Amino acid sequence: MARKCLAILITSAGRRVGLLQCFRAAAERLDVDLTIIACDLNPDESAACALADHAAAVPRCDSPDYATSILEIVRQHGVSLVIPTIDPELMPLAQAAPAFANLGARVHVSPVNVIEVVRDKRLTIQKLSEAGVPVPRTLDHQELLERPQDISWPIFAKPSGGSASRGLDVFETLADVPSEFPEPMIFQDKLNGPEYTINMFVDASGQLCTVIPHLRIQIRAGEVEKGETRRRNDLQTIAEGIAQALPDLRGVACFQIIDDPEHGPAVLEINARFGGGYPLADHAGAQFAQWLLEEVAELPSTANNNWRDGVKMMRYDSAVYQG
């Protein structure tokens, strides 16, 4: 049998060397001849672009030309799978999914109706609450000003459409809350306790195959620097509730919870993409990269929930050199 050849594109590649390595290792296990293209706003300053087989420059993901530029890379290299890595690019790529399909490429992104929910933290909380998934009490700015007694103080504030830990704040009293913000905000109970990321994989048929939580032991720049996988039935149940609340969710997603000792675990947000801590899940046996390649290459699926509990990751700085 001839060896299968695939090309994939990792967008907003930046420092995602670990993700690139997971796909390379998956291709070796599957005996797939894999070509990895990476793109970024400044590919000459991206470690992942430097280690990819090919690299390309693209406009910012909020540019009207962004999806068109990604389509052109797909056309040039015969890409079969596009892997977005940051939240702001999910909607333009989801909207362009039919155009990618016409080129024979799958964009690893859920449908527009799912992205509309997960990119709006207020809407996410509402959708999950309606489905019985535990979430913190949440108010928008107007609700907070009108009903400050409906939430416990101090409160946690964040942009409704934010990502990468941007714009986070804590307010002790209503008098501390500004009268205006530069973007829509939500305000939540300030929960205490250990924080977890739960990675989940939903196959192409909509079946939730894997739920793998890891404790966020130490965070740097919004991503886990030290973490450890923990098998917990209550977090598995929460993930099942999210899958039911968002039945069109596909592929890889992750969500964050705080396990408050008084109130129990509550979901803070959902990222419908590979999270920054995914390499820990992959090393523990939840090999989402391999399972996506299997789907695209039409190979038998090996997706399972038999990952290893108690696997610890401790990241350190490394470097890529050029010239």
Side-chain angles (χ1 to χ4, degrees), residues 73-136:
I73 297 171
V74 168
R75 184 180 293 108
Q76 288 178 359
H77 293 276
V79 169
S80 297
L81 178 65
V82 179
I83 308 292
T85 64
I86 61 173
D87 292 325
E89 62 187 348
L90 296 180
M91 183 58 80
L93 292 178
Q95 292 171 333
F100 285 98
N102 288 339
L103 294 177
R106 172 183 172 182
V107 184
H108 175 248
V109 65
S110 292
V112 169
N113 65 301
V114 173
I115 304 306
E116 286 176 339
V117 173
V118 300
R119 288 292 293 129
D120 183 332
K121 292 181 173 59
R122 174 65 166 154
L123 190 55
T124 298
I125 295 297
Q126 178 182 334
K127 191 81 170 176
L128 296 185
S129 179
E130 291 171 352
V133 175
V135 293

Side-chain angles (χ1 to χ4, degrees), residues 21-32 282 287 289-291 293:
Q21 292 170 333
C22 288
F23 274 99
R24 286 209 193 281
E28 286 295 320
R29 291 191 296 269
L30 295 173
D31 194 29
V32 167
D282 189 279
Q287 297 170 331
Q290 176 172 320
W291 304 339
L293 291 183

Side-chain angles (χ1 to χ4, degrees), residues 51-273:
L51 294 175
D53 298 300
H54 304 281
V58 293
R60 288 176 55 90
C61 55
D62 56 2
S63 164
D65 298 324
Y66 179 72
T68 301
S69 69
I70 302 298
L71 280 163
E72 183 56 31
I73 297 171
V74 168
R75 184 180 293 108
Q76 288 178 359
H77 293 276
V79 169
S80 297
L81 178 65
V82 179
I83 308 292
T85 64
I86 61 173
D87 292 325
E89 62 187 348
L90 296 180
M91 183 58 80
L93 292 178
Q95 292 171 333
F100 285 98
N102 288 339
L103 294 177
R106 172 183 172 182
V107 184
H108 175 248
V109 65
S110 292
V112 169
N113 65 301
V114 173
I115 304 306
E116 286 176 339
V117 173
V118 300
R119 288 292 293 129
D120 183 332
K121 292 181 173 59
R122 174 65 166 154
L123 190 55
T124 298
I125 295 297
Q126 178 182 334
K127 191 81 170 176
L128 296 185
S129 179
E130 291 171 352
V133 175
V135 293
R137 287 178 295 185
T138 302
L139 303 175
D140 63 26
H141 193 204
Q142 187 63 36
E143 290 169 337
L144 180 70
L145 296 178
E146 293 175 351
R147 306 193 310 273
Q149 72 280 1
D150 285 0
I151 198 167
S152 61
W153 295 80
I155 59 172
F156 188 69
K158 56 187 174 183
S160 187
S163 62
S165 299
R166 175 180 57 82
L168 307 184
D169 211 338
V170 174
F171 299 110
E172 297 291 333
T173 69
L174 183 61
D176 298 326
V177 179
S179 59
E180 294 183 354
F181 289 89
E183 58 186 317
M185 300 287 289
I186 61 170
F187 305 87
Q188 297 178 321
D189 290 321
K190 185 178 180 297
L191 302 179
N192 299 298
E195 186 173 352
Y196 288 79
T197 292
I198 295 86
N199 287 277
M200 51 194 290
F201 183 83
V202 180
D203 69 15
S205 71
Q207 177 70 35
L208 176 62
C209 300
T210 313
V211 177
I212 174 168
H214 66 253
L215 175 65
R216 293 162 66 93
I217 298 171
Q218 185 170 311
I219 310 300
R220 181 171 65 168
E223 289 191 355
V224 62
E225 185 175 47
K226 299 177 184 178
E228 184 175 353
T229 60
R230 299 281 179 87
R231 191 176 288 276
R232 288 181 45 171
N233 291 336
D234 56 343
L235 302 185
Q236 170 82 30
T237 299
I238 289 174
E240 291 169 355
I242 289 175
Q244 292 172 3
L246 300 172
D248 293 329
L249 182 70
R250 292 293 183 274
V252 180
C254 62
F255 61 95
Q256 276 70 49
I257 70 117
I258 289 181
D259 191 6
D260 187 282
E262 181 179 354
H263 303 289
V267 178
L268 305 179
E269 60 183 44
I270 303 172
N271 303 114
R273 55 169 173 79

